[in-house]
Amino acid sequence: MTQATGDRRAGAARGRPAPARGPGAPARTWSSRLGQWDSAVTSFYVLRGATAILVVLGLVMVLSSSSVESLAADKSPYAEFAKQAQFALVGLPVLWLASRLPLRFYKGIAWWALGGAGVLQLMVLTPLGHAVNGNKNWLPIGPVMIQPSEIGKVALALWLGVVLARKRSLLSDWKHSVIPVLPVAGLLIGLVLLGHDLGTALVLILLVAGAMFIAGVPMRVFGVAGTFAAVAVGFLAATNGNRMARISSWLSDSCDPTKECYQTLHGTWGLATGGWWGLGLGESREKWSYLPEAHNDFIFAIIGEELGLVGTLLVLVLFALLALAMCRVIRNHPDPFVKITTAGIAFWVIGQALINIGVVIGLAPVIGVPLPLVSAGGSALIMTMAALGIVISFARSEPGAAEALAARPGVVRRSLAVLGRSGSARGAGAGTRPGAVRSGTGRR
């Protein structure tokens, strides 16, 4: 070891900055520092980090927004939080397992997953199905209530990836673009609509559109399919009194604030009173039985009221990071199945988030769509975490990502390295104590 190297290491151990680089050493520029953020594992870490923060934020806000209503119902103030925490604890191993499974597994189960999801969705329409707020979209499995349409989102994304990737060279022909994608997807969406859940059906339409767009389906097919979808949605809205009332109140300059406009008005008040920094965590006024579904569809309003504009911008930034990471996977991964499946999941998660936020801020009529990873709801949370786990698995197999992750030291190795450096620093400090005997030059 040279003297200069020893001086630098001893100085670092004692907390002093190391000497400047020599004239021949390359200087660290802003471009080189930014390049570290554009590595092969950027998508992997951004997906994990943004998902974890959104789940934790959701747990905190579910606790804050539901405690008053739970007390009013003679329950524990932690009742909804405890349920959501249990769902999150179930979702964590699901996400971890999904992030570790190889591509061939997802390609192999796509048809079976879609078939199983279709059977479960069909069972909802039988006497076994359960309705909530007019939507018959739940199925009791023992003591647990599941939402098969959430399983259908994941299954449909995987199935679209397999089918469209296999037919990618034939998609210029409209018949191959449409069949079997639109009939099969339309059947699943139709089953959801038979349960009167228009919001979930719209999210499924977004999922299908995103997968078809990235697959390279001609735009003329989008034009025709989009026209049919718009006509169908308009018909379903016009033939339902509740939906028409929501749309009319959204378009009207003056509507009854005690009826149709009540929820939207109180959501806007919650956002408006939050200001820049919010009233403080737990200090919401709208959650005191003023704002319906405060812990679910309108939880974004409570975030704005308690955490202010900063809190709402944080949520937007986190979803933007998820979108950016999934776009990176679509751009970098060589497998068309990965590109198409990731696109479907991205349009689902980000599109659903934008619909929910648009409803809360008044840019869309009230639609029963929760905020992904944040709103209360077990099936939605677990299946969204599973979907993001699948995308994390795809990010692991990006070019260069597997090698970079394999070269990363494990937890045990990092801990031993830290302990070793600490021992070296203590040894260096002991060797330079005043009065210590030094070899050849110490006091006698």
Side-chain angles (χ1 to χ4, degrees), residues 127-194:
L128 296 174
H130 183 73
V132 176
N133 295 331
N135 292 343
K136 194 174 184 181
N137 203 16
W138 280 262
L139 187 67
I141 303 294
V144 181
M145 194 78 68
I146 68 169
Q147 197 170 358
S149 59
E150 296 295 331
I151 302 173
K153 292 175 184 177
V154 179
L156 185 59
L158 292 173
W159 181 82
L160 288 170
V162 169
V163 172
L164 290 174
R166 188 176 299 166
K167 302 181 67 173
R168 203 174 188 187
S169 60
L170 305 172
L171 293 180
S172 57
D173 184 351
W174 71 269
K175 289 179 289 187
H176 288 283
S177 299
V178 171
I179 300 172
V181 170
L182 292 187
V184 174
L187 178 61
L188 181 62
I189 294 170
L191 292 175
V192 173
L193 286 173
L194 288 176

Side-chain angles (χ1 to χ4, degrees), residues 407-428:
R408 179 187 58 178
V411 175
V412 175
R413 289 177 59 190
R414 290 199 300 269
S415 303
L416 291 176
V418 171
L419 292 175
R421 285 195 297 268
S422 300
S424 299
R426 286 195 298 270

Side-chain angles (χ1 to χ4, degrees), residues 111-288:
W111 285 87
W112 294 100
L114 185 65
V119 171
L120 289 175
Q121 190 63 46
L122 190 61
M123 291 175 63
V124 170
L125 305 178
T126 68
L128 296 174
H130 183 73
V132 176
N133 295 331
N135 292 343
K136 194 174 184 181
N137 203 16
W138 280 262
L139 187 67
I141 303 294
V144 181
M145 194 78 68
I146 68 169
Q147 197 170 358
S149 59
E150 296 295 331
I151 302 173
K153 292 175 184 177
V154 179
L156 185 59
L158 292 173
W159 181 82
L160 288 170
V162 169
V163 172
L164 290 174
R166 188 176 299 166
K167 302 181 67 173
R168 203 174 188 187
S169 60
L170 305 172
L171 293 180
S172 57
D173 184 351
W174 71 269
K175 289 179 289 187
H176 288 283
S177 299
V178 171
I179 300 172
V181 170
L182 292 187
V184 174
L187 178 61
L188 181 62
I189 294 170
L191 292 175
V192 173
L193 286 173
L194 288 176
H196 306 288
D197 194 348
L198 181 59
T200 300
L202 290 175
V203 175
L204 287 169
I205 291 173
L206 282 176
L207 188 156
V208 175
M212 294 177 67
F213 178 77
I214 295 299
V217 171
M219 294 307 295
R220 63 180 182 273
V221 174
F222 277 95
V224 175
T227 302
F228 275 108
V231 170
V233 171
F235 174 78
L236 291 170
T239 54
N240 185 283
N242 185 34
R243 293 173 187 153
M244 280 304 299
R246 293 181 182 182
I247 296 174
S248 300
S249 64
W250 174 61
L251 295 174
S252 175
D253 292 333
S254 59
C255 64
D256 192 345
T258 63
K259 293 182 180 178
E260 291 85 4
C261 292
Y262 180 85
Q263 195 172 22
T264 303
L265 183 63
H266 280 271
T268 305
W269 284 351
L271 290 170
T273 55
W276 284 94
W277 304 103
L279 302 178
L281 190 61
E283 298 296 326
S284 168
R285 300 162 185 159
E286 291 297 331
K287 69 182 182 183
W288 288 78

Side-chain angles (χ1 to χ4, degrees), residues 58-59 61-67 69-70 73 75-87 295-296 376-378:
L59 289 173
M61 296 312 302
V62 166
L63 172 61
S64 176
S65 58
S66 66
S67 57
E69 290 287 346
S70 296
K75 299 178 182 178
S76 166
Y78 304 102
E80 289 295 332
F81 167 77
K83 286 169 54 180
Q84 191 71 0
Q86 290 174 2
F87 295 136
H295 64 293
N296 198 335

Side-chain angles (χ1 to χ4, degrees), residues 13-87:
R14 290 190 291 268
R16 294 199 302 267
R21 294 172 179 266
R28 288 175 60 85
T29 62
W30 280 107
S31 59
S32 64
R33 292 174 181 174
L34 290 175
Q36 295 178 353
W37 292 94
D38 190 23
S39 67
V41 292
T42 297
S43 304
F44 174 78
Y45 285 115
V46 170
L47 284 166
R48 290 207 316 179
T51 302
I53 295 172
L54 282 169
V55 171
V56 172
L57 177 64
L59 289 173
V60 172
M61 296 312 302
V62 166
L63 172 61
S64 176
S65 58
S66 66
S67 57
V68 174
E69 290 287 346
S70 296
L71 285 171
D74 293 329
K75 299 178 182 178
S76 166
Y78 304 102
E80 289 295 332
F81 167 77
K83 286 169 54 180
Q84 191 71 0
Q86 290 174 2
F87 295 136

